[in-house]
Amino acid sequence: MDRVAVVTGASGVLGGAIVDGLAAAGLRVGLLARRRDRLEALAAKHDGLVLEADVLDAAQLERARAEVLDTWGRIDVLVNAAGGNVAAATGSFFELPLEAIDEVVRLNFHGTVLPTQVFAAAMERGAIVNVSSAAAHRALTRVIGYGAAKAAVENVTRWLAVELAPRGIRVNAVAPGFVVAEQNRALLLDETGAPTARGERVLAATPAGRFGEPHEIADAVVWLSSEAASFVTGAVVPVDGGFDAFGGV
């Protein structure tokens, strides 16, 4: 029987690439995000299931879980790709509203824990893949809340790997480096598509000398979701062109 995956944040650039990758690997995919209109074309492309839900709303997630089980009868893979930063949490540290940090932590950390509580309850064996960030490992300017939230995602990834091992569920994470997406495009590229000053600093600190592509993150997620990674759990896999390995000299 075909394996079934649920991808949160499926309407984003990275989430969409993960949906493409899992579908190409032969999985049936439920696409979960808050806005149905952003999911329908991608779902139609893969004969997927549109799941309109907020990752911070347990009742909506439970309805989405029921829809998946009613349609396909099983859940084998959960990818927690929902997340991101908020503009209010990127200002000067001494004027940073605590409410903005709370919002970022809720979106990234709570938005990983709650879907895992809901969907993993219906899983018998399988794999969970969380999405972290290079910001969890390095002090990057302007993203204090985001980096702290992603560090929490990595901690809970290891905790869940231990907690869910008796149920045959593996739990891992990927830590993407710099991939151009909607939320960071203006920070990394100017109107002409050339790197900004910040983008140039990122490229100088990335041994591969370029930004990543969404499909490169998705490929790592597909691997961690597959039997090829059957003895891998509690791991955080950097997919960052060497950014985390480079000391700058």
Side-chain angles (χ1 to χ4, degrees):
M1 183 180 292
D2 290 339
R3 292 193 303 149
V4 173
V6 173
V7 179
T8 75
S11 61
V13 170
L14 181 55
I18 292 169
V19 169
D20 286 340
L22 291 170
L27 280 77
R28 296 188 178 276
V29 187
L31 293 72
L32 190 147
R34 288 178 293 183
R35 292 183 52 182
R36 173 175 292 273
D37 59 325
R38 290 192 171 192
L39 300 174
E40 288 177 341
L42 184 59
K45 174 181 173 185
H46 298 300
D47 196 22
L49 184 64
V50 173
L51 304 169
E52 185 176 359
D54 187 331
V55 292
L56 298 176
D57 188 312
Q60 291 182 22
L61 291 171
E62 288 166 1
R63 285 196 294 271
R65 179 185 65 191
E67 190 171 354
V68 175
L69 294 175
D70 288 346
T71 303
W72 291 319
R74 58 189 292 166
I75 299 172
D76 303 285
V77 174
L78 170 66
V79 181
N80 287 305
N85 208 353
V86 298
T90 61
S92 166
F93 173 73
F94 293 104
E95 285 110 34
L96 196 62
L98 188 58
E99 295 80 5
I101 294 179
D102 285 344
E103 184 178 354
V104 175
V105 170
R106 281 181 56 77
L107 175 59
N108 292 278
F109 180 64
H110 296 196
T112 295
V113 172
L114 187 55
T116 301
Q117 287 180 320
V118 172
F119 288 102
M123 293 172 64
E124 298 178 5
R125 304 187 62 80
I128 298 170
V129 184
N130 299 323
V131 176
S132 180
S133 167
H137 313 151
R138 298 293 184 97
L140 304 182
T141 59
R142 301 180 64 179
V143 293
I144 177 175
Y146 180 73
K150 289 302 192 183
V153 167
E154 294 194 2
N155 183 276
V156 81
T157 295
R158 290 184 282 269
W159 189 91
L160 286 168
V162 177
E163 179 75 7
L164 299 181
R167 297 178 55 179
I169 299 174
R170 297 181 298 102
V171 188
N172 295 289
V174 292
F178 288 83
V179 176
V180 178
E182 294 174 18
Q183 68 177 15
N184 65 3
R185 181 177 299 276
L187 290 174
L188 299 178
L189 300 175
D190 64 21
E191 298 82 357
T192 70
T196 61
R198 185 180 180 90
E200 291 283 7
R201 291 196 297 273
V202 168
L203 293 174
T206 303
R210 63 176 177 85
F211 300 122
E213 298 290 339
H215 74 84
E216 294 174 312
I217 315 302
D219 288 344
V221 172
V222 172
W223 170 64
L224 288 170
S225 301
S226 75
E227 284 302 305
S230 59
F231 200 51
V232 181
T233 194
V236 178
V237 179
V239 190
D240 62 3
F243 181 87
D244 194 47
F246 186 39
V249 294

